Amino acid sequence: MAFPHRPDAPELPDFSMLKRLARDQLIYLLEQLPGKKDLFIEADLMSPLDRIANVSILKQHEVDKLYKVESKPALSSNEQLCFLVRPRIKNMRYIASLVNADKMAGRTRKYKVIFCPQKFHACEMVLEEEGVYGDVSCDEWAFSLLPLDVDLLSMELPEFFRDYFLEGDQRWINTVAQALHLLSTLYGPFPNCYGIGRCTKMSYELWRRLEEEEDGETKGRRPEIGHIFLLDRDVDFVTALCSQVVYEGLVDDTFRIKCGSVDFGPEVTSSDRSLKVLLNAEDKVFNEIRNEHFSNVFGFLSQKARNLQAQYDRRRGMDIKQMKNFVSQELKGLKQEHRLLSVPLLEGFNIRESTSYIEEHIDRQVSPIESLRLMCLLSITENGLIPKDYRSLKTQYLQSYGPEHLLTFSNLRRAGLLTEQAPGDTLTAVESKVSKLVTDKAAGKITDAFSSLAKRSNFRAISKKLNLIPRVDGEYDLKVPRDMAYVFSGAYVPLSCRIIEQVLERRSWQGLDEVVRLLNCSELAFTDTTKEDKASSECLRLILVVFLGGCTFSEISALRFLGREKGYRFIFLTTAITNSARLMEAMSEVKA
Amino acid sequence: MDCYTANWNPLGDSAFYRKYELYSMDWDLKEELRDCLVAAAPYGGPIALLRNPWRKEKATSIRPVLEIYSASGLPLASLLWKSGPVVSLGWSAEEELLCVQEDGVVLVYGLHGDFRRHFSMGNEVLQNRVLDARIFHTEFGSGLAILTGAHRFTLSANVGDLKLRRMPEVPGLQSAPSCWTTLCQDRVAHILLAVGPDLYLLDHAACSAVTLPGLALGVSSFLQMAVSFTYRHLALFTDTGYIWMGTSSLKEKLCEFNCNIRAPPKQMVWCSRPRSKERAVVVAWERRLMVVGDAPESIQYKQLTIQVLLDRLVLRRLYPLAIQICEYLRLPEVQGVSRILAHWACYKVQQKDVSDEDVARAINQKLGDTPGVSYSDIAARAYGCGRTELAIKLLEYEPRSGEQVPLLLKMKRSKLALSKAIESGDTDLVFTVLLHLKNELNRGDFFMTLRNQPMALSLYRQFCKHQELETLKDLYNQDDNHQELGSFHIRASYAAEERIEGRVAALQTAADAFYKAKNEFAAKATEDQMRLLRLQRRLEDELGGHFVDLSLHDTVTTLILGGHSKRAEQLARDFRIPDKRLWWLKLTALADLEDWEELEKFSKSKKSPIGYLPFVEICMKQHNKYEAKKYASRVGPEQKVKALLLVGDVAQAADVAIEHRNEAELSLVLSHCTGATDGATADKIQRARAQAQKK
């Protein structure tokens, strides 16, 4: 049970420095507006800000009242207003309306806008167009790396995914490059760099250019982290679209972990109050179960409850009783509902059955997001839906959820998540039958179903090449995982993690040409190794994995497992924590 | 021993001085110095001479010559003065020669007599003419003070960043002051002037009378004043032959001296040796020189830094020497060699007789990719000299594409600037160029440019989505992007329009666009939505309640829940709702209404396309076991076990599973066997399993 670290595991660098840096910078910016001031904070920034500087620190630096940036005008009577916002145009209009209202009322105040993590020219232009550019002073709070845990850094930019992978907007690439530059300034150069994906490549090149411009800053520094691996989310959509079954992922799917903490409602806490719980390595019990398959968790907690309740620090988080309640009520039901992986999809062995399952799902209005997820998963694993199904599923969906989702489907198609098969791609009836015959009934159902899905499309070819669907004889012991597939009940090794494993093993992309080609990344996979004599053997076992477009807790758990197997330690940097629902919501069109 | 001290002369009680020639001047002067305007640059810089033909007694029509010599008298430049009468010459800290004309126009020349620029000291100066002018140096640069014919002062503290200040009037001033100087205190330039026995201090705001502490009696006029290079000390010479030396704050007297010479001196200056703590004032008359010293006090002069020295060499175009010094001193490339090479390149681009190709090649050969060299700066200089083509050639050597953008924009090469901005990966830079292009080009050309640059296009599109919706539409129109146009109008149908007619019209436009995009699916779906919207409106009018904006499914459900089954059926037919969906929908709605009678009727209306397990599930969800059991009996064999388990009939479920001889079903039933009540059933299953294995 619970994964102890190997005794030879390398020490992690101290990332709390990033928090201190961010805090000092924020304080400096607040001091730039001396005297009492009201602070308007964008809703998305509240949780990250809370992890950096709490209210009492803000008060110490003469922040009087705190307001949320929202559509209705705030009634602040302060003479100085400070806005802490993401560089979004709608925020600029909000600020402009506030300033213009003051002007109409003949009132003069001081306004300061702090953009986090950087300002964009378009924002300043909007301020100018609204006629308030001269009235406000603009600053940047270059806070782009929030340590959510000892091995997890998040840029807290969920919009990165939609902006880049749907809209083709490259604005955030500079932010990524700056963040990487900061890391190499603080923790030394990275002797080995690997990457795959278009966004990865652009970010990497921009980062390199930054390093060259500030030539010498990192030169001669001892590297602390031996490898960096960058990866675009669209290299592996499948993993992100799967339902999660490791504990932390499951909690995220069920309750949405927000900025490293989760709100448990009264139904979980079995009291009349909600409870906000910080989920990280400091919580000892949580740390022991976070990477476990959920089926192990209940037994573990029952035992823990007997042994440990007395010693366990209640104040720190959810107590054992609450966790047990959660597991027994929320997770037990899961087994029956077949939330496992993509079981609904996979229960039937052929596409026909999967399609009608999804159709029923839509007809019953079970969940708009879940239906989209299943459609996308089917589409990607099949290299697109056959035209008839594509149309009928869309029709059903529009009937259930409204015509604005025409736009949702247009988005999904553009992002390559839900497409129509080109005529030649259709599985022939014969092939389909053969595949059914070949299926080995004796083996686990899920495994078979998955392999049947992973047959002809690129995903199938990739899956075959990289052995993503392990052959299993008998039961897969989820208590004693043998490979990374345990994060999906032993049925599937996350593609992203497998790629990372393979490249690290080879220290290059050599021999993976075919996989890279199948991923449509022929020009977009690179290795950049510098001879680094100062790199210690310890540092060469530390690997920073950068997910552009978000990473899931399942991937984190899988790589933590890999690390233990190989004596590595992984550090994760992501634009945001994601899961299937977040991806689908990012693509969905909602009526305002 | 004698020979060493022989040429030292006593100066006061404790100091000695000697006089010897450092070097002889190489110049060959044709004019008497006394007939010339002379200006020597600080730190042993160049000397400028302009024979002054405008003095009344020597009026002549011959054009004077402006000559520039090095400090040792080597001729550097000589040019015929073709402009107006000059009142005063002076060197700026950057070794630029400022020639102040009588009309207040200042002409600026380089060390080699190259004309740089000119500026005017303002209208007031132009009208009243320049009587006198002083160039002075402060930490902000070189300033210029003018005394006009109206006895008013105009001042600029930094001629590099010209801001003119007209100083306040001195009350009752009828004639020119007998002497004046600029002072610099608290980072502000002042003017100290003497009128008869009175002294006045002028700052921007006011004119105030001041007095000197410890000044001897009997002074009726000040003949000369001198301020030290650091502006800390001041000396005044009076008509009684008395010298007052003190701080320029006028708060303290350092010493005084009576020389008994009443003739006005030609010149009076502070002097000091580098690092010396002793200061002295040198007073010069036609044939006499006097050094007046005071007690030692700690002051230190800033030395000429190595950077300034290098600048001086560069100005003198002694590039190889400068480079040798850098190498000798092992200065970092960026501060040393690179900088000098960059200066050399800037000089090189001014050689108009050399072709663009040759200049560019020569520069690239010398500079290569030396760190710290900015090709864009050199290109900017070339552009400044009117060599656009050369500038573009030089820019090609600039490795940082972002650096090329500002100059390209300046040169109106906006499209090239756009490519370079995109190459740089800096989206803000791209946006800046886009705004330039938008203003520069007509709309069609602008859109066409965008079309060829997908990265810029998506950036601009994102902006338009939030800020300029009409432009977004135009962009799609321009590209014949009917698919996106359709989407645009779909969004408008619920985000921009409120009235039903407007919304339907937007949908119609969308449908047309989808047809053009050959997206028949979207077109049909849009037309369906138009129909639905109109119908929903009618339903609201006829039945009341809320229908508009519900999905088709929700509309039908709402009708059933409201008891309008007939209408619901009609709608389902009109919109071809598939049977399966309709059954799910009705089942759910009727169960929600707890209309069990109607549900049973419905279940018997024909064979259920979704089977009967859903009926069992939904009844159990409403906690109606009685109804659920009715349907459990109708569930087909494949789902029978599940249905029986749902209604809690474990024993019968076991029987069915045993009958089916289905291992999975047996395990499922077994997992539902709880406690003592199901003990017998569990045993039964185990027996059946054992039997099955025997076979």
Side-chain angles (χ1 to χ4, degrees):
Chain A
M1 193 71 216
F3 306 143
H5 285 298
R6 282 163 55 137
D8 63 344
E11 284 284 318
L12 290 168
D14 174 20
F15 291 117
S16 61
M17 196 196 300
L18 293 167
K19 277 195 200 176
R20 287 199 301 276
L21 264 175
R23 183 170 52 222
D24 292 352
Q25 208 195 347
L26 178 65
I27 290 171
Y28 171 80
L29 290 171
L30 290 173
E31 299 274 310
Q32 296 292 96
L33 192 66
K36 274 210 321 189
K37 59 221 150 221
D38 283 353
L39 184 62
F40 288 70
I41 308 170
E42 171 145 29
D44 293 7
L45 276 171
M46 285 191 164
S47 300
L49 175 66
D50 197 44
R51 302 286 297 261
I52 295 299
N54 55 26
V55 175
S56 70
I57 291 181
L58 296 178
K59 299 261 164 184
Q60 272 169 31
H61 298 279
E62 297 183 273
V63 169
D64 195 13
K65 291 198 188 72
L66 291 167
Y67 295 92
K68 202 157 136 190
V69 169
E70 52 194 357
S71 47
K72 67 169 197 274
L75 299 162
S76 161
S77 59
N78 217 305
E79 285 314 301
Q80 304 198 95
L81 306 184
C82 189
F83 300 88
L84 184 58
V85 292
R86 292 273 185 225
R88 294 174 183 147
I89 286 176
K90 79 172 174 20
N91 290 330
M92 298 305 105
R93 283 209 290 265
Y94 171 80
I95 293 166
S97 71
L98 229 138
V99 176
N100 280 327
D102 279 357
K103 278 188 183 169
M104 293 281 278
R107 184 164 188 187
T108 43
R109 305 200 239 200
K110 271 196 175 171
Y111 314 93
K112 184 187 191 69
V113 185
I114 301 174
F115 291 98
C116 176
Q118 64 180 110
K119 67 180 169 203
F120 290 133
H121 191 65
C123 288
E124 290 175 297
M125 210 193 108
V126 172
L127 289 176
E128 204 175 327
E129 278 182 359
E130 306 277 331
V132 299
Y133 189 61
D135 303 286
V136 302
S137 62
C138 294
D139 255 314
E140 288 180 333
W141 183 30
F143 162 53
S144 57
L145 289 171
L146 175 65
L148 287 179
D149 211 331
V150 287
D151 60 352
L152 173 58
L153 309 174
S154 169
M155 297 182 69
E156 294 294 303
L157 283 177
E159 64 254 60
F160 184 102
F161 177 69
R162 185 180 165 119
D163 282 353
Y164 179 78
F165 291 101
L166 177 63
E167 311 280 4
D169 186 336
Q170 300 178 8
R171 283 180 311 171
W172 297 115
I173 289 178
N174 183 42
T175 318
V176 171
Q178 296 283 359
L180 293 173
H181 182 53
L182 176 64
L183 283 180
S184 62
T185 315
L186 294 177
Y187 303 101
F190 299 90
N192 302 293
C193 306
Y194 320 94
I196 183 164
R198 190 172 300 279
C199 186
T200 282
K201 196 153 185 237
M202 286 192 282
S203 310
Y204 183 75
E205 279 165 6
L206 198 58
W207 171 36
R208 279 289 104 132
R209 228 176 293 160
L210 286 177
E211 306 262 293
E212 276 162 27
E213 268 166 43
E214 282 175 47
D215 194 39
E217 256 187 42
T218 57
K219 253 187 207 161
R221 276 213 53 175
R222 229 183 137 81
E224 279 189 54
I225 303 165
H227 309 264
I228 181 170
F229 195 111
L230 296 101
L231 177 110
D232 280 13
R233 185 68 271 174
D234 68 352
V235 166
D236 173 16
F237 275 139
V238 170
T239 303
L241 286 174
C242 287
S243 305
Q244 306 192 68
V245 285
V246 283
Y247 183 73
E248 194 168 9
L250 190 55
V251 172
D252 189 36
D253 273 4
T254 323
F255 296 99
R256 295 278 170 116
I257 297 178
K258 200 172 137 201
C259 206
S261 70
V262 69
D263 281 313
F264 287 116
E267 70 282 2
V268 178
T269 56
S270 35
S271 68
D272 51 356
R273 292 197 317 134
S274 298
L275 185 69
K276 190 176 176 171
V277 180
L278 213 55
L279 298 176
N280 59 32
E282 278 180 32
D283 185 322
K284 288 212 176 64
V285 174
F286 174 73
N287 198 35
E288 282 191 73
I289 58 174
R290 65 194 313 184
N291 301 309
E292 290 285 331
H293 190 274
F294 81 90
S295 59
N296 301 338
V297 172
F298 188 69
F300 171 79
L301 286 180
S302 304
Q303 195 196 358
K304 249 327 187 231
R306 283 193 296 275
N307 301 343
L308 255 180
Q309 184 66 35
Q311 303 152 27
Y312 188 54
D313 185 355
R314 283 169 163 274
R315 282 162 307 177
R316 197 172 277 153
M318 184 161 53
D319 68 24
I320 304 271
K321 201 170 118 233
Q322 286 163 343
M323 257 196 237
K324 250 178 77 181
N325 268 336
F326 162 65
V327 174
S328 62
Q329 287 166 15
E330 297 293 326
L331 305 193
K332 267 206 156 171
L334 286 175
K335 268 189 181 166
Q336 284 146 23
E337 282 180 36
H338 302 283
R339 267 189 99 254
L340 273 171
L341 187 56
S342 311
V343 175
L345 249 187
L346 308 166
E347 200 153 63
F349 290 173
N350 67 22
I351 305 156
R352 194 66 268 131
E353 274 178 52
S354 307
T355 312
S356 40
Y357 178 88
I358 298 173
E359 203 164 81
E360 185 188 314
H361 208 264
I362 297 171
D363 286 351
R364 293 174 60 191
Q365 292 185 313
V366 177
S367 148
I369 290 298
E370 182 72 2
S371 296
L372 283 183
R373 175 180 85 84
L374 295 172
M375 285 159 82
C376 292
L377 204 48
L378 186 60
S379 167
I380 295 171
T381 50
E382 287 299 315
N383 230 9
L385 301 179
I386 54 172
K388 193 173 134 283
D389 292 346
Y390 183 62
R391 270 157 221 220
S392 107
L393 286 174
K394 282 201 299 183
T395 308
Q396 296 309 313
Y397 196 89
L398 296 177
Q399 288 192 356
S400 273
Y401 299 113
E404 65 271 22
H405 290 290
L406 263 180
L407 305 188
T408 306
F409 289 119
S410 160
N411 291 344
L412 288 170
R413 196 176 63 173
R414 194 163 0 134
L417 280 160
L418 180 56
T419 57
E420 192 174 349
Q421 263 175 21
D425 287 351
T426 323
L427 222 74
T428 63
V430 179
E431 270 180 302
S432 177
K433 269 188 190 139
V434 170
S435 76
K436 209 168 177 178
L437 288 173
V438 165
T439 317
D440 180 5
K441 295 246 176 195
K445 240 184 175 183
I446 300 161
T447 316
D448 290 335
F450 216 103
S451 62
S452 88
L453 271 179
K455 211 146 269 168
R456 224 190 94 113
S457 66
N458 277 1
F459 177 76
R460 291 181 182 185
I462 292 163
S463 159
K464 207 169 156 197
K465 280 258 168 224
L466 291 176
N467 193 22
L468 298 182
I469 319 278
R471 280 270 135 226
V472 175
D473 303 319
E475 279 277 294
Y476 188 100
D477 189 353
L478 293 167
K479 285 203 172 78
V480 192
R482 68 182 85 163
D483 55 21
M484 292 190 282
Y486 91 93
V487 301
F488 292 118
S489 304
Y492 163 63
V493 179
L495 169 59
S496 53
C497 304
R498 179 70 101 201
I499 293 173
I500 292 166
E501 177 198 40
Q502 292 296 309
V503 171
L504 285 176
E505 220 162 72
R506 295 167 160 82
R507 295 263 173 120
S508 79
W509 292 90
Q510 215 171 11
L512 295 171
D513 310 353
E514 183 62 11
V515 174
V516 170
R517 192 186 62 77
L518 289 166
L519 288 166
N520 305 314
C521 286
S522 295
E523 304 292 316
L524 306 172
F526 62 87
T527 312
D528 191 353
T529 309
T530 47
K531 180 118 182 58
E532 183 54 76
D533 302 329
K534 291 194 196 106
S536 63
S537 73
E538 172 144 318
C539 110
L540 286 174
R541 287 184 289 127
L542 270 179
I543 301 136
L544 174 67
V545 181
V546 184
F547 285 89
L548 299 179
C551 89
T552 63
F553 282 116
S554 295
E555 285 163 317
I556 292 177
S557 291
L559 288 175
R560 281 179 183 148
F561 171 85
L562 182 69
R564 264 188 318 274
E565 292 288 297
K566 308 261 179 183
Y568 304 142
R569 258 187 113 175
F570 285 94
I571 301 155
F572 306 92
L573 165 57
T574 178
T575 49
I577 289 291
T578 196
N579 61 17
S580 56
R582 290 194 188 92
L583 288 194
M584 292 296 102
E585 281 162 8
M587 292 288 152
S588 286
E589 197 65 33
V590 232
K591 275 191 202 176
Chain B
M1 287 301 275
D2 275 359
C3 56
Y4 290 109
T5 53
N7 53 352
W8 286 89
N9 303 307
L11 174 65
D13 295 332
S14 55
F16 292 84
Y17 78 92
R18 65 174 169 165
K19 204 172 73 174
Y20 64 97
E21 190 168 297
L22 286 171
Y23 51 82
S24 60
M25 296 298 279
D26 279 348
W27 58 18
D28 179 22
L29 292 182
K30 291 172 198 76
E31 306 285 341
E32 289 263 4
L33 271 177
R34 77 174 76 183
D35 295 333
C36 295
L37 290 171
V38 183
Y43 302 115
I47 301 166
L49 293 179
L50 182 64
R51 188 175 52 79
N52 191 346
W54 303 287
R55 290 219 316 239
K56 284 175 192 110
E57 65 264 31
K58 276 204 159 191
T60 162
S61 60
I62 307 166
R63 280 187 171 151
V65 178
L66 174 67
E67 293 178 315
I68 301 174
Y69 295 95
S70 77
S72 60
L74 283 171
L76 295 174
S78 166
L79 57 137
L80 215 56
W81 188 259
K82 296 175 184 167
S83 303
V86 175
V87 176
S88 182
L89 292 179
W91 291 93
S92 75
E94 294 81 32
E95 296 196 324
E96 285 183 326
L97 180 64
L98 308 177
C99 307
V100 186
Q101 290 191 159
E102 204 181 46
D103 57 1
V105 171
V106 182
L107 293 97
V108 185
Y109 289 85
L111 190 58
H112 301 277
D114 44 321
F115 177 73
R116 294 273 167 87
R117 61 183 190 280
H118 73 276
F119 57 89
S120 161
M121 289 301 285
N123 255 339
E124 201 264 341
V125 178
L126 174 68
Q127 274 163 24
N128 297 310
R129 319 306 281 175
V130 178
L131 212 57
D132 196 5
R134 300 278 160 81
I135 286 123
F136 58 97
H137 307 283
T138 71
E139 53 198 292
F140 309 113
S142 302
L144 176 60
I146 303 267
L147 172 64
T148 69
H151 312 307
R152 290 286 297 270
F153 288 91
T154 294
L155 183 149
S156 166
N158 179 5
V159 292
D161 175 24
L162 199 68
K163 284 190 188 102
L164 296 178
R165 290 195 190 277
R166 195 172 175 216
M167 306 303 266
E169 206 172 348
V170 181
L173 184 63
Q174 294 299 322
S175 57
S178 56
C179 57
W180 62 280
T181 187
T182 52
L183 296 178
C184 192
Q185 280 163 5
D186 302 329
R187 317 174 124 225
V188 182
H190 305 267
I191 284 173
L192 181 69
L193 65 145
V195 182
D198 303 318
L199 288 170
Y200 298 95
L201 192 65
L202 294 179
D203 62 18
H204 297 327
C207 167
S208 36
V210 288
T211 51
L212 299 176
L215 180 72
L217 294 172
V219 173
S220 57
S221 159
F222 296 92
L223 301 180
Q224 269 284 4
M225 56 175 83
V227 66
S228 70
F229 196 70
T230 54
Y231 292 99
R232 285 203 204 141
H233 302 99
L234 183 71
L236 290 103
F237 188 92
T238 72
D239 59 345
T240 52
Y242 163 88
I243 300 171
W244 180 93
M245 291 160 75
T247 60
S248 55
S249 60
L250 307 178
K251 286 191 178 127
E252 201 187 330
K253 182 172 80 177
L254 295 173
C255 76
E256 55 186 358
F257 181 75
N258 207 326
C259 68
N260 292 321
I261 302 168
R262 294 182 175 224
K266 280 212 78 160
Q267 220 182 341
M268 179 166 80
V269 287
W270 284 86
C271 69
S272 153
R273 288 200 315 270
R275 289 190 193 158
S276 161
K277 289 179 180 170
E278 290 177 42
R279 285 149 314 162
V281 170
V282 180
V283 193
W285 288 265
E286 202 73 22
R287 294 180 177 281
R288 192 195 290 266
L289 201 71
M290 183 183 280
V291 181
V292 183
D294 77 312
E297 194 205 315
S298 86
I299 39 160
Q300 211 164 339
Y301 290 95
K302 247 186 222 155
Q303 273 215 290
L304 200 63
T305 64
I306 184 69
Q307 293 300 344
V308 176
L309 173 68
L310 289 173
D311 283 347
R312 303 260 139 140
L313 290 171
V314 162
L315 272 173
R316 284 157 183 73
R317 295 180 192 148
L318 299 170
Y319 304 106
L321 180 60
I323 288 174
Q324 272 173 20
I325 290 177
C326 292
E327 283 167 355
Y328 179 74
L329 293 175
R330 299 212 177 102
L331 289 183
E333 274 195 325
V334 177
Q335 287 170 30
V337 176
S338 309
R339 212 165 55 99
I340 288 155
L341 283 173
H343 275 288
W344 166 78
C346 287
Y347 163 66
K348 189 84 187 164
V349 299
Q350 295 167 36
Q351 295 181 341
K352 302 227 160 140
D353 47 334
V354 187
S355 76
D356 292 344
E357 298 272 325
D358 292 345
V359 174
R361 199 178 315 116
I363 288 176
N364 184 239
Q365 268 169 12
K366 268 252 160 56
L367 271 63
D369 45 6
T370 318
V373 167
S374 163
Y375 277 97
S376 47
D377 287 352
I378 302 166
R381 182 62 71 95
Y383 178 65
C385 301
R387 300 182 74 168
T388 310
E389 287 310 312
L390 175 59
I392 289 171
K393 281 198 169 57
L394 287 169
L395 274 183
E396 279 165 16
Y397 296 121
E398 172 65 60
R400 294 160 297 171
S401 31
E403 296 288 312
Q404 309 177 12
V405 173
L407 184 60
L408 286 171
L409 283 179
K410 220 166 156 190
M411 299 192 298
K412 302 248 179 293
R413 304 290 169 118
S414 312
K415 287 183 191 174
L416 188 56
L418 183 61
S419 317
K420 294 294 177 187
I422 289 168
E423 223 173 84
S424 79
D426 180 344
T427 46
D428 260 9
L429 200 59
V430 176
F431 198 78
T432 313
V433 180
L434 281 180
L435 295 182
H436 255 267
L437 281 169
K438 196 182 164 196
N439 293 331
E440 206 175 274
L441 303 174
N442 67 44
R443 218 170 160 78
D445 289 346
F446 176 56
F447 285 175
M448 197 56 91
T449 310
L450 282 179
R451 201 175 180 174
N452 299 324
Q453 300 283 7
M455 184 266 202
L457 180 60
S458 48
L459 192 70
Y460 193 63
R461 232 188 241 149
Q462 278 284 83
F463 174 73
C464 290
K465 258 182 201 170
H466 294 105
Q467 193 68 4
E468 286 180 19
L469 276 177
E470 280 306 302
T471 313
L472 185 66
K473 196 172 74 184
D474 295 348
L475 269 172
Y476 293 142
N477 261 321
Q478 167 88 12
D479 283 357
D480 289 332
N481 191 339
H482 299 297
Q483 174 63 33
E484 288 299 331
L485 268 176
S487 297
F488 178 89
H489 289 292
I490 291 273
R491 195 174 289 117
S493 81
Y494 57 81
E497 295 286 343
E498 292 199 357
R499 293 167 314 114
I500 290 291
E501 305 83 68
R503 298 185 56 175
V504 171
L507 287 170
Q508 183 63 61
T509 321
D512 294 346
F514 285 136
Y515 276 121
K516 278 188 198 154
K518 300 214 169 12
N519 187 344
E520 221 155 287
F521 175 85
K524 287 255 154 42
T526 308
E527 283 170 349
D528 279 352
Q529 174 58 15
M530 289 160 63
R531 268 202 304 149
L532 181 64
L533 202 55
R534 287 206 193 96
L535 191 95
Q536 285 171 330
R537 190 54 207 261
R538 215 162 50 232
L539 287 174
E540 283 187 3
D541 288 346
E542 291 171 16
L543 307 175
H546 174 71
F547 285 96
V548 168
D549 274 342
L550 293 182
S551 72
L552 179 60
H553 185 108
D554 293 345
T555 310
V556 178
T557 303
T558 311
L559 282 172
I560 295 176
L561 290 176
H564 309 287
S565 312
K566 283 269 148 50
R567 290 254 188 165
E569 302 273 352
Q570 185 60 44
L571 197 64
R573 269 198 303 281
D574 287 354
F575 284 87
R576 292 188 303 277
I577 292 183
D579 243 11
K580 278 189 183 175
R581 175 194 287 277
L582 192 61
W583 275 70
W584 275 113
L585 188 158
K586 267 184 123 168
L587 166 63
T588 316
L590 290 172
D592 277 352
L593 285 172
E594 303 196 27
D595 191 344
W596 305 117
E597 205 177 315
E598 194 59 37
L599 184 64
E600 191 165 354
K601 244 200 288 181
F602 169 57
S603 78
K604 287 174 178 162
S605 61
K606 66 174 194 179
K607 186 173 180 291
S608 163
I610 55 172
Y612 293 92
L613 186 63
F615 284 78
V616 180
E617 282 170 352
I618 216 133
C619 291
M620 286 309 290
K621 215 166 140 198
Q622 299 285 350
H623 308 292
N624 192 336
K625 205 184 217 176
Y626 174 77
E627 290 293 329
K629 278 188 169 165
K630 281 188 194 168
Y631 300 107
S633 60
R634 293 165 69 182
V635 171
E638 277 182 31
Q639 293 176 316
K640 196 86 176 183
V641 172
K642 267 189 199 163
L644 289 167
L645 287 175
L646 267 175
V647 298
D649 197 340
V650 182
Q652 210 190 328
D655 289 345
V656 176
I658 290 166
E659 193 186 316
H660 286 174
R661 292 182 188 161
N662 182 320
E663 177 52 38
E665 285 182 0
L666 286 171
S667 324
L668 186 66
V669 178
L670 204 54
S671 72
H672 277 75
C673 291
T674 46
T677 45
D678 298 325
T681 314
D683 291 345
K684 201 168 164 187
I685 292 170
Q686 298 296 16
R687 276 202 303 281
R689 269 186 167 171
Q691 219 165 4
Q693 267 173 2
K694 264 183 221 158
K695 284 178 188 171

